[in-house]
Structure formats: C-alpha cells, structure tokens
Amino acid sequence: MAQDNSSRVTEFILLGLSDTRELQLLFFTLFLLAYAVVLLGNLLIIVTVRTDPKLSSPMYFLLCNLSFIDICYTSVTVPKVLVALLSGHKAIAFEGCMAQLFFLHFVGSSEMFLLTVMAFDRYTAICRPLHYTAIMARGACWALVAACWVGGFIHSIVQTVLTLQLPFCGPNTIHSYFCDVPPVILLACTDTTLTEWLMASNSGLISLGCFLVLVGSYVLILAKVRACLSQGHWKALSTCASHVMVVTLLFMPCIFTYLPPAGTLPTNKYICVIYTTFSPMMNPLIYTLRNSEVKESLWRLWKR
C-alpha cells in the first residue's frame, strides 16, 4: 500500500496507565520512588564493588555490570513516564519512539544475556571449583560482558529495522506508557503477519532460550549441592536463590509479552511494569540484603 509523505505519522500518543488524575499522581509517586531506588541502590553497589578489594571475584564484577545495565534500562522509559504523568503531555515524536524502542531492546536483551553469564559463573563456581579461576579469568569476564552488549545490539537493531520498514499512516495511539514492538507494529497500515512472527522468533525465542539455559544451570547446581552438602556449597546456593528471584521477575513477563506474535494475546501494560521498573528495583535489594559480603562492604564504606 503506497503512502505519500504527508500521511506519515510524525508522533505517537502514549495513553499511559490511567486517565484519572488521582491515579496518575499515585503512579507518579510510585515510579519516582522506584526510580530513586534503582539509581541509588545500583550506584551504591557499583561504588562498593569498585572500592572494596575483597569484592574482586568474577561474581561481583558481573554484579557491577548488572547494576550499570539496570540504571540504563530504567532510564530508557521511566523519565518519560514521570514527565507524562506530571505534565499530562503524552505525545512522543516518531524518532523518539523508535529511539526508545531501540535502546529498550538493546539494554534489555543485554541484561538477559548477562544474567545467563552470571548463571554460568555460579555453575562453574559450584560444579567445577578447581577450574573456576582459569575459566572465569578477568579477561574472560570482560569478553563475556562485551559479547552480551554485542548480542543485545544485534537483537535490537533487527527489531528496530523491522519496525522502521513498516508504513505508519493512520492511528497513532499506543495503549502503553512507552514505545515497544508489540503495540507499535499494530498501528502499521499494512499486513504485519510476517513481521510479527519474525519479531516473536527474535525477542520471544531469546527470552525463552535464555530462561531455559538458566533453568538448566540451576538444575545442575541443585544436583551438585545434593550430592555434596557442605557449607561452601550452601553459601553458593544462597547466592543462586537471589539470582532465581531476579530471573523470574524479568523473564516470565518478557516471555508472556514477546513470545506470542503481536495481537494474538492482549498486551497488559501493567505486566510491563514488572520487567521495566520492578525487576531492576529489586536487584539492589536482593543482592545486598541476601549477601553478607556486600553488606559488610557497605558497612565499611559507610564508616569511611
């Protein structure tokens, strides 16, 4: 279907979470508090890991990178949400929408890959302790983190290009509070069946594949711990428990959102809050409250 330039959509309208002013103020307060926890909590983790020589193991190096990703991830959507809730201005330019979509998938998929690497780190520490230092050397850790970012970029650029090639000439109302692939491609003025399946095979299968790898690593860890019960193994298992909580909060909503092609299931914008805001907010709380070494380092940092 050919479209002239004058009919192309130049901006989208984000309907947000509610039209009621009282609920908008409530959501503004909740999002502001969550964003403050994400920024302050993850920055504190980064400073603590970087300044304490006792936190030099690969696990804390990866945790530091996870905190940086969480800050970037929430900063893609939450500031725009806060402005919209406070001012009532819900419009976003077409270019800004595509940029938000790109960075959301870039950082989000990088976090999924990094969580998979962190699971591999725990598997190596528990199941192959004698080879752990050699396998998870600092150079290998840097290479794995770089691979996570490269994989995230490739995934995101595919999503963005598939979206940009669609014509947008009619409705411009997005039933969400941020620009994402499923609600955006439903507004295209053409048949998007093939595009929907391509995007589902991209985002959905990445989410499902990473989740299955994570589950497999935890099964192997549990089998190892059951066969060799020791204090050190139980300590490592406690670390994995917090990792499982983060994985569940992030992956299950993503699988529900991205695995079915757009339009086959209704997109619940409240479910999106879990993986865009709530999961990054829980990371600093889970990793600090359940980790005695981090808590001790935080106390030493506070005394200094």
Side-chain angles (χ1 to χ4, degrees), residues 12 14 92 97-98 100-101 104 174 177-181 183-184:
F12 292 102
L14 301 171
I92 182 172
C97 184
M98 294 300 106
Q100 189 179 65
L101 186 151
L104 178 75
I174 298 177
Y177 60 93
F178 65 97
C179 288
D180 198 6
V181 171
V184 169

Side-chain angles (χ1 to χ4, degrees), residues 9 31 38 48 61 68 79 139 145-146 157 168 172 179 200 220-221 297:
V9 169
F31 271 94
V38 171
T48 302
F61 171 78
F68 174 73
V145 171
I157 200 68
F168 295 94
N172 65 338
C179 288
L220 294 175
I221 289 173
S297 297

Side-chain angles (χ1 to χ4, degrees), residues 125-141:
I126 296 173
C127 300
R128 303 189 63 186
L130 299 179
H131 302 89
Y132 178 69
T133 305
I135 295 175
M136 296 301 295
R138 181 50 62 99
C141 289

Side-chain angles (χ1 to χ4, degrees), residues 7-68:
S7 65
R8 184 173 178 84
V9 169
T10 59
E11 68 176 17
F12 292 102
I13 305 298
L14 301 171
L15 293 184
L17 295 170
S18 175
D19 292 329
T20 306
R21 188 57 184 167
E22 290 76 11
L23 286 178
Q24 288 178 348
L25 293 176
L26 175 61
F27 285 133
F28 174 83
T29 303
L30 295 177
F31 271 94
L32 182 62
L33 290 175
Y35 193 45
V37 171
V38 171
L39 292 181
L40 297 178
N42 285 292
L43 282 173
L44 186 59
I45 289 178
I46 293 173
V47 172
T48 302
V49 172
R50 297 289 294 176
T51 57
D52 194 337
K54 293 185 178 180
L55 302 180
S56 58
S57 67
M59 181 180 73
Y60 295 112
F61 171 78
L62 297 174
L63 176 59
C64 186
N65 282 275
L66 178 64
S67 295
F68 174 73

Side-chain angles (χ1 to χ4, degrees), residues 81 99 113 136 202 260 267 290:
V81 175
F113 295 139
M136 296 301 295
N202 189 357
T267 301
R290 292 185 55 85

Side-chain angles (χ1 to χ4, degrees), residues 55-111:
L55 302 180
S56 58
S57 67
M59 181 180 73
Y60 295 112
F61 171 78
L62 297 174
L63 176 59
C64 186
N65 282 275
L66 178 64
S67 295
F68 174 73
I69 285 181
D70 280 336
I71 292 174
C72 298
Y73 188 47
T74 53
S75 297
V76 173
T77 57
V78 175
K80 175 64 178 175
V81 175
L82 292 175
V83 172
L85 289 172
L86 193 61
S87 66
H89 182 69
K90 299 181 178 181
I92 182 172
F94 179 86
E95 294 78 9
C97 184
M98 294 300 106
Q100 189 179 65
L101 186 151
F102 169 80
F103 285 107
L104 178 75
H105 283 267
F106 177 30
V107 183
S109 57
S110 298
E111 179 168 4

